[in-house]
Amino acid sequence: MDAVTIKSRSSSFKTFLKLIPYILRKRKYFAIAVASMFLSSLLSVLIPSFTRVIIDEGISAGNFQVIPYYSALIIIVTALMSLLGYFERYASILFSQNVVFDLRNDVFKAIQRQSYAFFDEVPTGQLIARVTNDTDAMSRFLSFQLRSFINAITLTILAYVYMFQMNFKLSLLTMLILPVMIIVNLKYSSMIRPLYSTIRYQIGVLTSIVNSNLSGIKTVKALAIEDFELERFSRENDRLFELNVKAAKIRSIYGYCGRLILGLGMAFILLYGGYAIIGGEFTIGELTAFNSYLLMLMWPMRALGFFISGFQRSMTAAQRLFEIMERLPEVKEKPNAIELPPVKGEVKFEDVTFSYIKGKPVLKNISFKVNPGEKVVLLGPPGSGKSTLIRLIPRFYDPDRGRILIDNVDIRDVKLKSLRRQVAFVSQEPFLFSGTIKENIAFGQPDASMEDIIAAAKAAKIHDFIMTLPRKYDTVIGERGVTLSGGQRQRLAIARALLTNPRILILDDPTSNLDAETEKALVEDLKEVMKGRTTFIVTQRLSLVKLADKIIVLDDGQIVEMGTHEELMARRGLYAKMYSIMLEDQKKVSPVEMPIRGDSD
C-alpha cells in the first residue's frame, strides 16, 4: 500500500468526521431509518430458516401441515419487511435532505462572506458545481449508500449467526471469502478516489465554460466565434467523457470480481454440502438454507463495493464543500470592531502598499488626503492601479502596508457593513438582476420604502424614464439589464447606490461604455448626484475630468502628480500628455466641445 493511498483514506476519514456534527443534528431521522433497517434485516434472515423447516420437516418428512403454516409465516414476514422498508426509505430521505439542506446553506453563507480576492481566483462555474453537484453527491451517499453499508454489516452478522448454528466448519470456510472481498474493494477504492476527484473538478471546468458562454452569448455571436466556443466546450467535454469511461471501466472490472468470488463460494458449498448430505451430516433443507444465506450475503458484499465507491466520491465532494466553508476571508472584521458613525467624508491614505501577488506590488507607498465633499478624478495608463486604489476604500481588499482612514478612523477598526453603508461603489459594468426595477434599486436595502426608492431614482435621473414603462417600477428587466440601454443601466446602478444616502461615492469609469450623447447627459446628472458627497472617479474621459476638484495621476502603482487641472497642466508632465490625448479623442467625437478653463495654452 503506497503513501498516496494511505493519505487518501486518511483524508476521506477526516472529511467524514467533519460531517458528523451535521449527522448528529438530524439523528432522529437517522435512528428511525437504522432501527427500521435492523428489524427488516432481522426478519429477512428468518425466511431461509422457515424454508429449511418446510423442506426437512414438511416435504421430506411427509408432514404437509408444516408447509402452509411456515408459508404463511413467510408471507407475514415479507409484508412486515415491506412496511419497515417504507419507514426506512422515508426516514433516510428526510435525514439526507435535512443534512444537505444545512450543508448547502452553510456553503452559500461561506461564499457570501468571502472577500473579493476569493472570486478573483475561483471561477463562478466551480462554485455553482459545488453548491449543486457536490451537495447532490452528498445526498445520494447519505440517503442510500450509508444506509446500505449499515444494512450490509447487520445482514452479514445475522446471516453468519444462523449459518454457524447450522454448520460451524462450513461457515468458517465461507468466511475466507470476506478478506478477499475486502482486499478487492480496497484496491478499487485506491484507484477510483483520485479519479472521482478529477471528474468533479472537470465538471466544474465544464460548468464554468457554459456559465461564461451563456453570460456573454451576445458577445460570442457579435464576434462570430461560435465555432471557437464549441471547440473549447467539446475539448473539455471529451476530457470529462474519457474520465467517466475510465471510471466505468474500473467499476465494471471490480464489480464483477465480487460476483466471481461469490460464485466460486457457492460452487464450493454445493460440492461440500452434497458430500455432507450423502454422508448424513447435512440435510437438504440445511443446504438450501445455507445457500440462501450465502446468496443473501451477495448484496452486502456488493454493497461494500458500492459504499467504498460512493464514500470516496461523496467525501471528494464533501471536501470541496468544506474547502469553501473553512476558508477564512482575506478581509476580516476585528473582534472588537466598532460601528462607523455617520461620516463627513474625509478620506486619507497613509503610505499604502498593496499587491495581489506577494512580492509584486500594484500600489506603492500611496499617500494623499481628500476633504469632505471633494471630487477626485483618478487618471493613469492602463495597469497603473487606479481601480485597485478605489477598491481599497470600501475594504474589498486590505493593504499589505499602511492604512486608510475615513474621518480619522482606520477602516480596519470598523464593522464592514457600517463602512459599506456609507461608501457606495458603482462599477464600470453594473450588474442588474433579473427582476423588477423596484427590486433592483432596493437590492442593497430590501426594506426600503417606495418613497425612498422613487427619491433615489429621481436623484439618478431615471424616474421619468421608469414612469413611461407600462408597469413602471414593477417592470421586469432581463438578466444583467439586457432590456435597458447602457445609460439606463448606469442610472439604475447609481439609484441603487444612492438609496443608502452614502457620504462617499465611488464611480469606476462610469461612461466608458456610453455613446457621446448619453455620456454628456449622464455627466450633467452626476453634478447633482455628487453634491455634498466625497466622490472618487476613475476615468479616461475628458467629460468627467471637468468635474474634478482634485486630480490624482498614477503610473506604475505610484502617485506621480496631484493637484488641480491648472496646476497639472502648468507642470507639463504625464497629466498634460494624457489630457492632450483625451482632448484629441473628444474632438473626434464632438468637435464643438469647449476645452476646460485654462486650456488655451
Side-chain angles (χ1 to χ4, degrees):
M1 190 181 299
D2 58 22
V4 174
T5 303
I6 295 172
K7 185 178 179 181
S8 172
R9 289 176 196 158
S10 174
S11 174
S12 295
F13 182 69
K14 288 178 181 177
T15 302
F16 183 73
L17 290 179
K18 295 175 186 176
L19 277 175
I20 289 178
Y22 289 91
I23 292 173
L24 291 178
R25 283 183 221 161
K26 311 300 175 185
R27 58 185 176 274
K28 177 177 69 175
Y29 301 118
F30 187 65
I32 293 171
V34 171
S36 301
M37 177 210 65
F38 178 77
L39 291 173
S40 179
S41 298
L42 197 59
L43 290 172
S44 68
V45 295
L46 292 175
I47 293 176
S49 292
F50 293 161
T51 304
R52 178 185 63 78
V53 174
I54 288 172
I55 293 173
D56 288 343
E57 298 180 16
I59 297 172
S60 298
N63 184 4
F64 293 104
Q65 292 179 350
V66 171
I67 299 173
Y69 176 76
Y70 280 95
S71 297
L73 285 178
I74 291 174
I75 293 171
I76 293 170
V77 166
T78 304
L80 288 173
M81 286 170 59
S82 299
L83 181 63
L84 289 166
Y86 164 77
F87 287 112
E88 178 190 343
R89 284 171 176 77
Y90 185 67
S92 293
I93 294 296
L94 283 177
F95 164 67
S96 66
Q97 290 302 317
N98 273 279
V99 170
V100 170
F101 175 84
D102 289 347
L103 270 172
R104 197 178 284 124
N105 274 343
D106 286 352
V107 172
F108 194 72
K109 286 178 188 174
I111 292 172
Q112 295 300 307
R113 72 169 176 261
Q114 296 303 322
S115 307
Y116 262 54
F118 174 80
F119 301 99
D120 291 339
E121 61 182 78
V122 182
T124 303
Q126 286 286 350
L127 295 177
I128 294 172
R130 295 190 191 198
V131 174
T132 55
N133 295 340
D134 289 347
T135 52
D136 283 344
M138 292 303 305
S139 177
R140 288 192 296 273
F141 171 72
L142 293 170
S143 64
F144 174 69
Q145 290 154 350
L146 180 61
R147 172 170 53 90
S148 297
F149 176 68
I150 297 172
N151 187 23
I153 298 297
T154 305
L155 201 58
T156 300
I157 293 171
L158 292 172
Y160 267 109
V161 167
Y162 279 86
M163 289 166 73
F164 271 106
Q165 288 176 351
M166 284 188 291
N167 191 303
F168 183 86
K169 185 177 179 181
L170 186 56
S171 299
L172 202 60
L173 290 172
T174 58
M175 286 191 73
L176 295 175
I177 297 173
L178 290 178
V180 178
M181 291 292 291
I182 291 171
I183 291 169
V184 168
N185 281 302
L186 288 177
K187 177 65 176 175
Y188 169 63
S189 167
S190 67
M191 295 176 68
I192 205 71
R193 187 179 191 278
L195 193 56
Y196 279 143
S197 181
T198 308
I199 287 172
R200 302 214 73 79
Y201 175 80
Q202 189 63 20
I203 290 171
V205 170
L206 212 60
T207 306
S208 293
I209 292 173
V210 173
N211 181 67
S212 62
N213 182 274
L214 294 180
S215 298
I217 189 65
K218 292 187 177 180
T219 303
V220 171
K221 289 190 170 296
L223 296 174
I225 56 170
E226 292 94 339
D227 291 342
F228 172 79
E229 287 292 293
L230 181 59
E231 182 185 351
R232 186 163 70 109
F233 179 84
S234 297
R235 185 169 60 250
E236 298 300 339
N237 198 23
D238 284 342
R239 170 69 174 152
L240 181 60
F241 172 79
E242 290 169 2
L243 290 168
N244 277 314
V245 168
K246 187 176 180 180
K249 184 178 180 181
I250 294 171
R251 286 198 303 269
S252 299
I253 292 172
Y254 283 89
Y256 283 101
C257 275
R259 292 188 183 185
L260 175 63
I261 294 167
L262 283 169
L264 292 173
M266 289 179 65
F268 174 77
I269 287 173
L270 289 172
L271 180 65
Y272 179 89
Y275 280 113
I277 289 171
I278 293 170
E281 299 174 14
F282 219 33
T283 67
I284 296 175
E286 286 175 332
L287 179 60
T288 304
F290 205 93
N291 204 44
S292 296
Y293 283 123
L294 190 62
L295 285 171
M296 193 178 287
L297 288 175
M298 182 177 289
W299 162 245
M301 295 300 178
R302 293 189 65 194
L304 179 61
F306 291 145
F307 172 77
I308 291 175
S309 168
F311 180 75
Q312 299 295 348
R313 188 184 308 194
S314 59
M315 289 307 103
T316 299
Q319 182 56 39
R320 283 160 53 89
L321 297 177
F322 285 118
E323 280 174 7
I324 297 176
M325 287 190 277
E326 293 171 356
R327 176 160 175 165
L328 297 175
E330 286 78 1
V331 175
K332 300 184 287 290
E333 283 185 1
K334 292 181 178 179
N336 58 346
I338 61 171
E339 287 283 336
L340 180 65
V343 299
K344 295 176 182 178
E346 181 188 86
V347 178
K348 192 187 297 182
F349 276 59
E350 293 183 349
D351 196 30
V352 170
T353 295
F354 172 80
S355 57
Y356 294 105
I357 302 171
K358 191 174 181 180
K360 296 182 178 180
V362 178
L363 296 174
K364 309 165 190 173
N365 310 114
I366 300 293
S367 295
F368 65 86
K369 177 184 174 183
V370 177
N371 296 318
E374 272 192 318
K375 283 55 177 178
V376 179
V377 165
L378 297 165
L379 289 171
S384 58
K386 307 181 298 296
S387 294
T388 298
L389 188 148
I390 58 172
R391 281 170 168 76
L392 297 180
I393 298 171
R395 280 196 78 195
F396 293 159
Y397 304 92
D398 274 339
D400 302 336
R401 188 176 68 247
R403 60 179 189 158
I404 302 164
L405 301 99
I406 294 179
D407 287 6
N408 287 317
V409 177
D410 192 324
I411 61 174
R412 286 175 294 196
D413 293 334
V414 303
K415 294 181 179 178
L416 282 171
K417 287 185 179 179
S418 70
L419 168 66
R420 291 172 184 172
R421 275 197 297 265
Q422 301 192 62
V423 179
F425 189 97
V426 180
S427 64
Q428 180 178 346
E429 296 183 4
F431 189 95
L432 298 178
F433 297 85
S434 182
T436 65
I437 287 175
K438 178 176 67 178
E439 289 168 344
N440 270 279
I441 293 175
F443 190 79
Q445 207 167 357
D447 57 349
S449 66
M450 196 64 212
E451 290 76 15
D452 289 339
I453 292 171
I454 292 172
K458 285 181 176 179
K461 298 296 191 294
I462 190 68
H463 172 75
D464 290 343
F465 163 74
I466 295 171
M467 296 308 290
T468 66
L469 299 172
R471 294 179 60 83
K472 299 179 173 56
Y473 281 85
D474 290 321
T475 301
V476 176
I477 59 175
E479 188 174 355
R480 297 178 182 268
V482 293
T483 59
L484 303 175
S485 69
Q488 289 160 355
R489 287 197 295 271
Q490 281 290 4
R491 283 183 169 84
L492 269 182
I494 291 169
R496 183 165 62 196
L498 295 179
L499 189 60
T500 58
N501 191 26
R503 304 313 305 154
I504 299 171
L505 181 62
I506 300 173
L507 304 172
D508 187 5
D509 214 354
T511 61
S512 62
N513 297 319
L514 304 182
D515 58 69
E517 185 177 345
T518 305
E519 176 185 340
K520 185 176 179 180
L522 182 62
V523 169
E524 286 300 314
D525 295 338
L526 285 175
K527 292 177 182 178
E528 187 68 28
V529 168
M530 294 188 298
K531 278 185 179 177
R533 293 186 171 91
T534 303
T535 306
F536 292 83
I537 306 172
V538 170
T539 187
Q540 298 286 1
R541 298 293 187 97
L542 189 62
S543 57
L544 289 170
V545 174
K546 299 175 184 179
L547 304 176
D549 298 317
K550 181 184 292 183
I551 298 167
I552 297 176
V553 184
L554 292 101
D555 189 21
D556 193 27
Q558 296 177 302
I559 294 178
V560 293
E561 293 179 311
M562 182 163 53
T564 65
H565 168 74
E566 291 81 2
E567 291 169 348
L568 297 183
M569 288 297 293
R571 294 178 190 171
R572 300 189 178 277
L574 180 58
Y575 173 76
K577 293 177 183 177
M578 294 186 67
Y579 179 77
S580 297
I581 294 170
M582 287 189 290
L583 187 59
E584 288 300 318
D585 291 341
Q586 180 69 43
K587 287 178 180 178
K588 291 175 186 177
V589 177
S590 180
V592 298
E593 185 74 25
M594 296 297 293
I596 300 178
R597 59 194 182 280
D599 293 345
S600 56
D601 56 346

